[in-house]
Amino acid sequence: MTLSPERAPATAHTRRLSRTLYASAFCDDFVLLYPVYALLFSDTGLSVWQISSLFALWSLTGVVLEVPSGAWADATSRRRLLVLGPLLTAAGFALWVLVPSYGAFALGFVLWGAGGALGSGALEALVYDELDRDGAADRYARVMGRARAVGIAATMAAMGLAGPVFSWGGYQAVGAASVLVCLAGAAVATRFPERRTPPAGGGHWTATLRAGLAEARTDPSVCGALLLAPAVTSVWGALDEYTPLLVRDTGVAQEAVPWLLLVIWAGATAGSLLAGPAERLGPAGFAALLTGSALALAVGAAAGTPAALVLVALAFGGFQLATVLADARLQRRIEDTGRATLTSVAGLGTELGTLSAYAAYAATATAAGHGAAFAWSALPYLLTALVLLRAARTSAARAAAARARP
């Protein structure tokens, strides 16, 4: 275990950055369409295959735009992209409720995917650099962990409000509320401080991309951090979509499913809030975190009982915590000029890993059920923990050999 240095005191600038980040996180996830958009697609007459194709289009948009948008964020104002992203998402949601059809849904997902890609990488880079300029880079994990907790709380609040709003005004009401919160998110993003000066003339995103990838190739610590982030994030990010099915398979009544989902997401929220103290974890501690979370996931999912879902909640808390810590580790290792680019490269790895996890989950769940699919999903985390321990031992052996040389 390693200890972090004494934490720098918060400045007025740091507090403004944090408040803006938390408000932005809330607006990003307080979207009343989230719990009902699949129902909108079905009620419009789309088949299961058509709905699945929309989800695939959404993911592919993120895959295609993730890295170029990160390089663009390094070549221009990151705050500008954070303002533009919610506007694109708002346009997509408006299309869904104004002209509900397969074409409108597809275009909406492309706009939503593009909006998400613009913020991915740009947000983390802006927050880290602004904290670093205040000498408060050690606060990054704590601040981002709280922001993720705010986002999860906003999602749960949206789940609770979507039903009453839908009963009152149907899809038009939840759609209008979702568009308004996206517009509010764009307004909040204008409040992000940005003291960084983009390259003269705005630079060119392809040159920024080449420079960022060159850094990853030449610095093993950067490369390792780039691989760790998607290894930690992608699998449990895919499992998120299947938690209602896991809960229902425990035999509870349909109306009890949302309440048990709240238990699981309360665990993820707690994991986010622990990011600050847990930043002290070294490689061995990080490996232990992944191992404990993986075992809790496997046992909790395989048990198939409502009470065992508490273990799944603990696992999600551990994975959420590991996600924040892996991001903080990446930010510490990359340079300012390529920060958004390389963060987006990690995001691309996460997208590709998530797509693979979807396929593996579908095959396992079809053959053995949802509990077994969740349990087998613990295996990649055990392997990642093993790799971390082996790398830590190798580094320690090299350091000892270097000290022994005359």
Side-chain angles (χ1 to χ4, degrees):
M1 179 178 291
T2 59
L3 295 178
S4 61
E6 185 178 352
R7 194 173 301 279
T11 64
H13 182 272
T14 300
R15 289 192 290 270
R16 174 190 167 188
L17 172 68
S18 300
R19 288 194 298 265
T20 304
L21 175 64
Y22 302 152
S24 177
F26 184 87
C27 291
D28 282 347
D29 289 308
F30 188 65
V31 177
L32 270 61
L33 269 172
Y34 284 172
V36 300
Y37 65 72
L39 301 177
L40 170 62
F41 303 156
S42 179
D43 290 347
T44 304
L46 271 60
S47 67
V48 174
W49 281 106
Q50 286 176 311
I51 295 174
S52 298
S53 71
L54 291 174
F55 292 152
L57 179 62
W58 186 22
S59 295
L60 288 174
T61 301
V63 167
V64 170
L65 296 180
E66 182 75 39
V67 176
S69 67
W72 189 21
D74 281 331
T76 185
S77 167
R78 293 164 179 166
R79 178 174 56 198
R80 184 184 308 155
L81 299 190
L82 294 176
V83 173
L84 179 58
L87 296 178
L88 293 179
T89 303
F93 290 161
L95 279 174
W96 286 2
V97 294
L98 292 176
V99 284
S101 62
Y102 182 83
F105 297 149
L107 180 56
F109 267 124
V110 169
L111 291 170
W112 190 2
L118 289 179
S120 176
L123 177 65
E124 294 86 349
L126 184 148
V127 172
Y128 189 91
D129 284 345
E130 291 301 313
L131 289 173
D132 193 34
R133 281 170 170 78
D134 285 337
D138 60 331
R139 290 180 173 271
Y140 178 80
R142 180 185 297 268
V143 169
M144 292 302 290
R146 289 175 177 174
R148 299 204 182 207
V150 169
I152 295 171
T155 298
M156 292 190 293
M159 291 171 62
L161 285 176
V165 174
F166 181 80
S167 298
W168 172 71
Y171 292 118
Q172 289 74 21
V174 294
S178 301
V179 170
L180 288 175
V181 80
C182 288
L183 296 178
V188 167
T190 65
R191 299 291 300 160
F192 273 113
E194 186 177 26
R195 291 171 290 182
R196 167 182 172 270
T197 302
H204 196 284
W205 72 265
T206 55
T208 307
L209 175 59
R210 287 194 297 270
L213 294 178
E215 181 184 353
R217 288 195 301 269
T218 57
D219 189 335
S221 67
V222 173
C223 185
L226 280 175
L227 293 174
L228 179 62
V232 168
T233 307
S234 57
V235 176
W236 88 276
L239 294 180
D240 167 19
E241 304 294 339
Y242 301 103
T243 49
L245 302 177
L246 176 71
V247 171
R248 188 175 63 184
D249 274 9
T250 64
V252 299
Q254 190 81 1
E255 56 270 20
V257 170
W259 296 107
L260 290 173
L261 287 177
L262 289 179
V263 172
I264 293 176
W265 286 108
T269 304
S272 294
L273 294 174
L274 289 172
E279 196 174 10
R280 298 168 178 264
L281 290 176
F286 196 96
L289 172 64
L290 290 181
T291 300
S293 301
L295 293 177
L297 177 67
V299 174
T305 65
L309 293 174
V310 173
L311 290 175
V312 178
L314 290 174
F316 270 46
F319 294 143
Q320 176 68 77
L321 174 57
T323 296
V324 177
L325 296 180
D327 174 45
R329 175 178 172 172
L330 175 62
Q331 300 305 326
R332 287 195 300 267
R333 282 163 172 73
I334 57 184
E335 297 294 332
D336 174 22
T337 53
R339 188 176 306 282
T341 301
L342 291 180
T343 304
S344 290
V345 170
L348 173 61
T350 298
E351 291 282 356
L352 294 174
T354 299
L355 288 173
S356 300
Y358 284 147
Y361 185 96
T364 307
T366 300
H370 295 289
F374 268 75
W376 277 105
S377 296
L379 182 59
Y381 290 104
L382 296 175
L383 295 176
T384 300
L386 181 62
V387 170
L388 283 173
L389 284 176
R390 184 171 298 176
R393 289 171 182 168
T394 300
S395 298
R398 288 176 179 171
R403 288 194 300 269
R405 294 193 191 103

